[in-house]
């Protein structure tokens, strides 16, 4: 074995020993996953779970919006998942955090660098006191210097500071991945909510058109009464005035509908001029089955924002170890091997070899308490992260409880509007019969008709609100979206 080969083997052995020695100890607290809550449900005392929801320990399978049975909604959400700039930003941020993790892992391993160079130099012999040799005056020589070599460095990481850095970087990448999941869930929920807004506005416009048709029927009724001599000018003016008032209800609703379509185009990732929203209707958006709501113990292991807060807590815990390791000595090993000669053909001769092997130790002696203060700062950040995690869990539970309560209220409102509409419809029928036979006034007909239309409009809004609250429950319970995104 040549001398150079022996030295290279020695360098490799030194690095191997350094790697093994680096597994000495890891300071700082180890992360412990927060315990799952013991609560069995979300509702407050006296509140019941609505028929549209069921507590289920098993995770839902498939994209949650399939529960509404709308191909148009499915297609719109798929397009949003493919084209939304918001998701593109979230994905890029996730890749950035993953690259930071790769950087931390790479920095903790052996660092190997190669060098090569060609220099043309002119030596100044006079600077060394050589001006002549005997009677011969010496001239400064000009020559080429060729060199090639490499260097190896390794941080022993005696107290695990690098390990904690990698742990923290991995936790931050995990947190960003969970935030990316939250962005996907939020986008799909917002698309569905905007689609429901469009459907509800379409239903309200249809109700107003029915009001206008009824107003026209009232005008015809007045005309018939006028032919029989039973109508007055006041009745004709009242009927025409009601028609114009109801016609005035359309432009605001149409403006809101246009704005909702524009907002949906924005969510999908297009301009309103480049993309037209489907003409959603409440009839095509039906909640086919109860919303599966994860139990509290499962929700904290499922909902993206809770998992992101947990990963943030993990990263903050790892930072305590990083700051603690900085209080202790650190040892780095280095080795280098260089071949240099005036002629490339002489590179591999032993006389052209230069090498070095060494180790360096650094230890904090006095820094004005800065390192201890940084460790305390890391500890307080971990306390703050724990508090943020707890607040995130509480907020999530409150959002689920709010959505469940809202669905209960929606069911009660729709049932009440149904009963009220039936009664108001009967009152309108009787008022029209009485007016047609001369036993009633047009004012009674208009009042009864107004009552019917008001109830119908309220019922339509309640139906749309019920579906919107179901969407909010899906989002609050961390529903699945992945199978459609892949």
């Amino acid at each position: 074995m040549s001398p150079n080969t022996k030295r290279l083997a020695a360098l490799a052995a030194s690095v191997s020993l350094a790697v093994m020695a680096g597994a000495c100890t890891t300071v700082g607290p180890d992360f412990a996953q927060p315990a799952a809550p013991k609560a069995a449900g979300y509702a407050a005392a006296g509140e019941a779970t609505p028929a549209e929801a069921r507590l289920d320990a098993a995770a839902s399978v498939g994209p949650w919006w399939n529960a509404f049975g709308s191909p148009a909604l499915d297609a719109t959400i798929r397009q949003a998942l493919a084209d939304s700039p918001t998701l593109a930003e979230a994905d890029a941020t996730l890749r950035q955090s993953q690259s930071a993790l790769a950087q931390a892992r790479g920095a903790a391993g052996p660092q190997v660098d190669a060098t090569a160079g060609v220099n043309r130099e002119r030596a100044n012999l006079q600077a060394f006191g050589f001006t002549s040799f005997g009677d011969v005056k010496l001239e400064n020589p000009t020559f080429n210097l060729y060199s090639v070599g490499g260097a190896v460095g390794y941080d022993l990481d005696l107290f695990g500071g690098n390990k904690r850095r990698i742990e923290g970087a991995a936790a931050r990448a995990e947190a960003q991945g969970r935030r990316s999941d939250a962005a996907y869930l939020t986008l799909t929920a917002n698309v569905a909510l905007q689609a429901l807004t469009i459907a509800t506005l379409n239903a309200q416009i249809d109700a107003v058109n029915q009001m206008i048709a009824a107003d026209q029927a009232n005008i015809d009724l007045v005309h018939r009464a006028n032919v029989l001599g039973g109508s007055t000018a006041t009745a004709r003016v009242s009927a025409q005035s009601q028609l114009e008032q109801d016609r005035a209800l359309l432009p605001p609703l149409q403006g809101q509908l246009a704005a909702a379509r524009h907002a949906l185009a924005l969510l999908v990732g297009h301009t309103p001029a480049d993309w037209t929203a489907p003409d959603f209707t409440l009839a095509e958006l039906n909640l086919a089955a109860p919303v599966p709501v994860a139990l509290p113990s499962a929700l904290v292991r499922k909902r993206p924002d809770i998992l992101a807060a947990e990963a943030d807590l993990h990263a903050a815990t790892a930072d305590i170890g990083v700051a603690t390791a900085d209080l202790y000595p650190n040892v780095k090993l280095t080795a280098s091997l260089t071949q240099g000669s005036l002629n490339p053909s002489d590179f591999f001769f032993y006389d052209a070899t230069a090498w070095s092997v060494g180790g360096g130790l650094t230890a904090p002696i006095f820094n004005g308490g800065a390192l201890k203060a940084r460790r305390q700062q890391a500890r307080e950040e971990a306390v703050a992260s724990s508090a943020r995690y707890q607040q995130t869990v509480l907020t999530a539970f409150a959002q689920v409880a709010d959505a469940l309560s809202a669905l209960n209220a929606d069911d009660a409102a729709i049932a009440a509007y149904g009963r009220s509409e039936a009664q108001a419809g009967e009152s309108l029928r009787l008022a029209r019969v009485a007016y047609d036979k001369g036993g009633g006034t047009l004012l009674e007909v208009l009042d009864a008709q107004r009552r019917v239309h008001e109830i119908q409009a309220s019922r339509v809004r309640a139906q749309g609100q019920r579906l919107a609250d179901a969407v909010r429950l899906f989002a609050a319970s961390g529903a699945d979206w992945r199978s459609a995104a892949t």
Side-chain angles (χ1 to χ4, degrees):
M1 181 180 295
S2 69
N4 286 343
T5 303
K6 292 180 180 178
R7 286 171 174 77
L8 288 173
L11 292 176
S14 298
V15 172
S16 299
L17 290 173
V19 172
M20 291 186 289
C24 294
T25 187
T26 303
V27 297
D30 293 325
F31 174 71
Q33 187 180 49
K38 297 180 180 179
Y42 302 95
E47 294 179 348
T49 300
E52 292 85 356
R54 72 174 189 276
L55 294 181
D56 191 350
S60 59
V61 178
W64 60 266
W65 53 88
N66 284 349
F68 292 94
S70 171
L73 179 61
D74 295 348
T76 302
I77 291 181
R78 284 197 302 270
Q79 187 167 4
L81 292 173
D83 299 341
S84 172
T86 301
L87 298 188
E89 178 187 2
D91 291 342
T93 305
L94 173 58
R95 291 191 297 270
Q96 182 181 9
S97 65
Q98 291 170 339
S99 297
L101 172 59
Q103 179 185 6
R105 286 173 173 165
Q111 306 297 303
V112 181
D113 297 309
T115 60
V118 178
N119 296 322
R120 183 165 179 79
E121 300 182 10
R122 183 173 186 270
N124 184 2
L125 298 180
Q126 293 185 10
F128 297 96
F130 301 106
T131 59
S132 63
F133 184 77
D135 296 332
V136 179
K137 184 178 180 181
L138 297 178
E139 294 184 1
N140 292 333
T142 300
F143 55 89
N144 294 329
L145 177 63
Y146 301 89
S147 65
V148 63
V152 179
Y154 184 72
D155 187 341
L156 290 183
D157 195 25
L158 296 178
F159 296 96
N162 287 336
K163 293 183 181 64
R164 292 301 191 193
R165 286 186 180 89
I166 294 172
E167 181 183 351
R172 289 183 176 88
E174 173 71 12
Q176 188 54 50
R178 299 303 184 180
R179 291 190 181 93
S180 180
D181 289 348
Y184 275 80
L185 180 56
T186 299
L187 176 69
T188 56
N190 286 340
V191 169
L193 288 173
Q194 208 61 51
L196 287 169
T197 299
I198 292 173
T200 303
L201 287 169
N202 277 329
Q204 290 180 270
I205 290 173
D206 288 343
V208 171
N209 284 328
Q210 291 175 11
M211 291 168 60
I212 293 173
D215 293 339
Q216 188 61 55
N218 287 335
I219 292 176
D220 295 339
L221 186 64
V222 170
H223 286 324
R224 290 197 301 272
N226 185 49
V227 171
L228 298 175
S231 176
T232 64
T234 301
R236 290 194 301 272
V237 171
S238 297
Q240 188 65 40
S241 176
Q242 188 63 62
L243 173 62
E244 298 305 327
Q245 288 179 25
D246 289 339
R247 282 176 176 172
L249 297 176
L250 278 178
L253 291 173
Q254 291 168 340
Q256 294 174 36
L257 178 60
R261 287 171 173 165
H262 300 165
L264 185 55
L266 177 63
L267 289 170
V268 171
H270 295 275
T271 66
D274 295 334
W275 186 81
T276 301
D279 201 21
F280 294 104
T281 63
L282 290 178
E284 69 174 292
L285 294 163
N286 295 302
L287 193 59
V291 178
V293 181
L295 296 173
S297 58
L299 184 66
V300 296
R301 306 288 183 248
K302 176 182 179 183
R303 187 164 143 151
D305 59 340
I306 296 178
L307 295 175
E310 180 183 313
D312 285 337
L313 176 57
H314 189 173
T317 305
D319 288 343
I320 298 175
V322 174
T324 303
D326 289 341
L327 294 170
Y328 294 95
N330 190 35
V331 176
K332 291 184 179 180
L333 300 181
T334 59
S336 65
L337 176 66
T338 303
Q339 298 293 122
S341 69
L342 300 178
N343 192 329
S345 62
D346 297 331
F347 266 164
F348 299 102
F349 289 101
Y350 180 70
D351 291 342
T353 299
W355 57 267
S356 68
V357 177
L361 180 145
T362 58
I365 301 298
F366 177 78
N367 49 59
L371 295 180
K372 290 184 178 180
R374 188 167 65 182
R375 181 178 62 176
Q376 185 61 29
Q377 181 182 7
R379 287 173 173 170
E380 297 302 334
E381 176 56 31
V383 173
S385 292
S386 178
R388 284 193 291 269
Y389 172 82
Q390 296 299 329
Q391 185 61 46
T392 302
V393 172
L394 292 175
T395 300
F397 286 9
Q399 288 175 348
V400 174
D402 287 347
L404 292 172
S405 297
L407 283 172
N408 271 327
D410 296 335
D411 288 342
I414 290 173
Y417 286 135
R419 294 190 297 269
S420 181
E421 185 177 355
Q423 295 173 357
E426 179 63 15
S427 296
L428 174 60
R429 186 187 69 81
L430 294 175
R432 280 178 171 169
V433 170
Y435 180 75
D436 196 35
K437 293 182 178 181
T441 65
L442 180 62
L443 181 59
E444 292 174 338
V445 173
L446 293 178
D447 286 343
Q449 179 179 293
R450 172 59 48 196
R451 180 60 179 160
V452 169
H453 291 158
E454 288 176 350
I455 295 172
Q456 287 176 340
S458 297
R459 177 178 54 79
V460 164
R461 287 193 295 270
Q463 289 173 339
Q465 186 63 47
R466 172 180 172 273
L467 294 175
D469 287 332
V471 170
R472 293 186 179 94
L473 181 58
F474 273 119
S477 58
D480 190 18
W481 51 265
R482 291 172 183 78
S483 58
T486 55

